[in-house]
Amino acid sequence: MTDQSNPLPFDSFMNPSLGKYTKIYRDSIENPEKFYEDAGWVLDWYSKWETIIDRTGEPYYRWYVNGKLNISYNAVDRHANGPRRNKAAYIWVDEKGNEKIVTYRGLYRRVNALAKALLEMGVKKGDRIAIYMPMIIEEPVAMLASARIGAVFTVIFSGFGAEAIADRINDCGAKLVITADGGYRRGKFIPLKETVDKALEHTKTVESVIVVKHTGQPVSMTEGRDYWYSDVINDKEEVEPERMDSNDPLFILYTSGTTGKPKGVVHGTGGYGVWVANTMKWAFDPQETDRWWCAADIGWITGHSYIVFAPLILGLTSIIYEGSLDYPGPDQVWKIISYYEVDILYTSPTAIRSLMKYGDEYPKSHNLSSLRVLGSVGEPINPVAWEWYYEKIGNSQCPIIDTYWQTETGGFVISPVTGIGTTLLKPGSATLPLPGIDPVILKQDGGEAAPGEKGLLFLRKPWPGMMIGLNNDDKKYRTLYFGRGKDGYYTGDYAIKDKDGYYWLLGRADEVLKVSGHRIGTVEVEDALLSTGLVAEAGVFGKPHQIKGESIVSFVVLKSDSRMEPSVDAIKEKVRQKFGPLLVPDEVHIVGSLPKTRSGKIMRRIIKAVYQNDIPGDLTTLESEASVDEIKEAIDKFRNEMDGN
Ligand code: PRX
């Protein structure tokens, strides 16, 4: 259970005090124009905005209206042409200990060279490009090169399979793909180019593919379509950055929701840049000489905002790690921290819990004294993991910055703010809203929840980092996020506000799971199961998991026409091949029928209740109760098998 009454006294190193935060926060809410005017100057602009916010298209908001800028200029050029030119922008490390250090000047060269190549290959402002890469320096280079010429990029997480890639490419109409021959994870080769080839069999818009030679493993290259990265770039080239409008789209990032197909969240340029850079300063207070390690993948929003844009805009040095935090040994992460003297580590509760499981001797055997601040993201952090992180990793001296946010919010919205005050932390609470953020917890009936009462979290005021829309989906944007009018933006999360005004995030209120911090829709998994061709009906839900937060449980009815009855393993393998490991359910239970309403809707609520041995509640809407007995039988059989093992 979360302990809401017992905050830890953190004032010893939290400086300045909460007083400053309170004033900044109040100013941001009472006088947002002035507040955001100052915040805007974290970026350099070709020409200044005319107004801070345009609300005429509500619930679409436009920030820093008519301001002109280029985010690659802000992230790269202004450092590459100044005193930071020889500072490391990135230290890349892999599981084997290989290392590559790229300075801001070096990054400038790479970004320009690739930007030129993209132009020569016919990519123009507004065109879409897809990026499917391992965690290598060329990944941020690809994002920045795209931004430099005004193309809109979509990064597809390298754990996704061919069908997931094709869906995303088709939704955004990408013209070009940047990938690599492959990558490594846990010592295993990941054939990225091969997967792209399979995906492109189902797309029509892609004209060219640029392939980074990273592993040296053989890949097939299609004449006239595929080009080696090294053949298309020329280090001497320079490209004038495109003057972008503040509200031009910068990227599209697909994320799971309540419906089957992932939604393409579109982020803009100016407001997004302002938000990620400021929130990083407010929350983590990074210093000029720090080594910042955000251990997320660039394929998710955390990597976009806090490996690529915020740290580069602020001119910091980041670690980029290609690999798994516990491979080749359980102390890999601690080894890297002590070797590079990392100052700030930012990772997920799942990572913390799995590292905790190995025991204290691993962190103890390394010198972690360089750490000054620790961060957490992606899912609620349970107090036990929080305390272990705080005591064993931070030596009871580093604040834990539990950042609550989402793909759609662009950057942090609720988080401790070491950069602008806050005195108390409570293990398990993301603490207080960032400046400009106006959270409210509402009950189903629309009334405000009392302190300590669970409700739905809304953010009443817009903020610069929020998405500018959904790709090709105005209806969902309006209904899913802003369907309750004056209540503002709906997060989809349950939360509690305690009597001290601290926020406790309690997980998703919708059909979205958080598995190892990855956001996965139950309907998305059901669709993946159906698309194997082996399954006729599927019902999916999440169950609590000690390390991963949640695991995926599915009940399926097989297609009657399949000649041979497929095994659970065959179903899982088919999902893996098509969509990647992310969507593979941990449990697949084969049953003869699933509980459905009379109108034919599968009732996940009932399957889950039976699974959990809860009384499933009202069954009157069920088409037939027989399916409930079948589920019970399948579960009993499964549990007996597990016990027998
Ligand atoms: O449920 C919340 C959870 O992650 C969701 C957003 O997922 P995604 O868009 O993939 O972005 C993850 C990285 C920002 C939220 O709706 N979540 C994220 N951070 C936290 C969290 N839940 C509790 N505490 C957090 N710090």
Side-chain angles (χ1 to χ4, degrees), residues 226-499:
D226 301 351
Y227 301 88
W228 288 109
Y229 183 91
S230 54
D231 290 343
V232 294
I233 56 161
N234 173 351
D235 279 347
K236 293 186 195 66
E237 296 287 0
E238 295 202 354
V239 173
E240 196 53 37
E242 188 73 37
R243 280 173 167 245
M244 301 300 287
D245 187 87
S246 171
N247 291 289
D248 278 338
L250 173 64
F251 64 85
I252 302 172
L253 184 56
Y254 288 86
T255 190
S256 303
T258 44
T259 50
K261 290 255 180 266
K263 301 170 287 197
V265 169
V266 186
H267 276 289
T269 306
Y272 172 80
V274 167
W275 192 250
V276 295
N278 277 298
T279 50
M280 184 168 181
K281 282 208 295 190
W282 296 335
F284 285 97
D285 195 23
Q287 304 296 307
E288 184 66 47
T289 55
D290 275 355
R291 281 168 187 176
W292 159 259
W293 184 9
C294 167
D297 194 286
I298 293 177
W300 306 116
I301 191 68
T302 309
H304 280 57
S305 299
Y306 299 105
I307 299 179
V308 182
F309 291 106
L312 293 179
I313 289 169
L314 298 177
L316 298 170
T317 298
S318 291
I319 306 277
I320 292 191
Y321 174 55
E322 183 191 0
S324 182
L325 293 181
D326 59 353
Y327 186 88
D331 62 344
Q332 177 74 353
V333 51
W334 318 126
K335 234 182 186 164
I336 295 175
I337 290 171
S338 74
Y339 188 88
Y340 289 101
E341 298 182 356
V342 170
D343 299 83
I344 314 180
L345 173 68
Y346 182 39
T347 189
S348 67
T350 291
I352 297 162
R353 287 188 293 261
S354 56
L355 293 164
M356 187 168 107
K357 179 190 72 185
Y358 292 121
D360 300 349
E361 65 269 30
Y362 293 102
K364 243 193 225 146
S365 62
H366 294 277
N367 180 357
L368 304 180
S369 62
S370 59
L371 288 171
R372 192 182 72 248
V373 185
L374 297 170
S376 173
V377 59
E379 42 179 328
I381 176 162
N382 47 315
V384 174
W386 194 104
E387 273 152 19
W388 184 81
Y389 199 30
Y390 176 68
E391 284 165 20
K392 307 294 181 209
I393 308 309
N395 194 25
S396 304
Q397 290 181 346
C398 307
I400 307 289
I401 309 300
D402 178 3
T403 60
Y404 165 75
W405 59 298
Q406 311 175 305
T407 305
E408 295 87 339
T409 70
F412 314 145
V413 289
I414 299 179
S415 164
V417 282
T418 49
I420 47 172
T422 204
T423 48
L424 302 172
L425 296 177
K426 302 188 191 186
S429 166
T431 75
L432 299 166
L434 263 68
I437 300 297
D438 182 20
V440 60
I441 298 180
L442 299 176
K443 294 183 291 189
Q444 289 291 358
D445 67 10
E448 194 165 340
E453 192 183 359
K454 180 172 165 178
L456 303 168
L457 177 65
F458 285 74
L459 306 176
R460 274 182 294 212
K461 289 189 192 323
W463 64 99
M466 68 195 293
M467 64 177 155
I468 59 169
L470 290 180
N471 193 47
N472 298 330
D473 213 332
D474 172 56
K475 191 165 161 226
K476 268 194 200 151
Y477 178 82
R478 289 176 189 275
T479 53
L480 294 178
Y481 299 105
F482 295 95
R484 279 175 51 168
K486 64 167 183 25
D487 294 335
Y489 170 83
Y490 174 48
T491 61
D493 282 307
Y494 282 125
I496 284 177
K497 180 177 169 178
D498 72 15
K499 59 178 178 17

Side-chain angles (χ1 to χ4, degrees), residues 87-160:
K87 180 174 176 177
Y90 287 122
I91 302 173
W92 172 86
V93 206
D94 72 4
E95 290 174 340
K96 297 192 200 95
N98 294 313
E99 167 195 270
K100 191 188 271 181
I101 297 176
V102 177
T103 62
Y104 273 96
R105 195 69 204 161
L107 191 62
Y108 174 85
R109 289 263 169 251
R110 287 168 164 82
V111 170
N112 274 276
L114 183 60
K116 181 73 179 182
L118 292 176
L119 287 175
E120 282 177 352
M121 292 170 86
V123 180
K124 294 185 298 297
K125 180 176 175 179
D127 283 347
R128 273 87 191 270
I129 71 170
I131 298 173
Y132 180 70
M133 293 176 93
M135 288 279 286
I136 54 178
I137 302 280
E138 287 79 1
E139 191 170 25
V141 168
M143 296 157 79
L144 293 160
S146 169
R148 191 170 192 86
I149 63 168
V152 181
F153 61 84
T154 188
V155 180
I156 303 169
F157 175 57
S158 59
F160 280 122

Side-chain angles (χ1 to χ4, degrees), residues 557-576:
V557 177
L558 296 178
K559 273 197 163 168
S560 53
D561 59 355
S562 41
R563 253 175 268 133
M564 258 200 329
E565 193 160 286
S567 65
V568 164
D569 287 345
I571 296 170
K572 286 188 180 181
E573 187 47 37
K574 230 8 197 310
V575 174
R576 182 175 293 110

Side-chain angles (χ1 to χ4, degrees), residues 514-580:
K514 272 282 169 167
V515 182
S516 301
H518 299 314
R519 182 165 157 179
I520 296 171
T522 51
V523 187
E524 199 181 349
V525 180
E526 286 167 5
D527 283 355
L529 285 163
L530 297 181
S531 84
T532 59
L534 305 171
V535 166
E537 289 173 359
V540 168
F541 57 91
K543 89 169 190 194
H545 186 279
Q546 273 210 324
I547 306 280
K548 301 199 290 187
E550 275 186 298
S551 66
I552 311 177
V553 181
S554 66
F555 281 79
V556 300
V557 177
L558 296 178
K559 273 197 163 168
S560 53
D561 59 355
S562 41
R563 253 175 268 133
M564 258 200 329
E565 193 160 286
S567 65
V568 164
D569 287 345
I571 296 170
K572 286 188 180 181
E573 187 47 37
K574 230 8 197 310
V575 174
R576 182 175 293 110
Q577 274 169 17
K578 291 179 88 153
F579 296 91

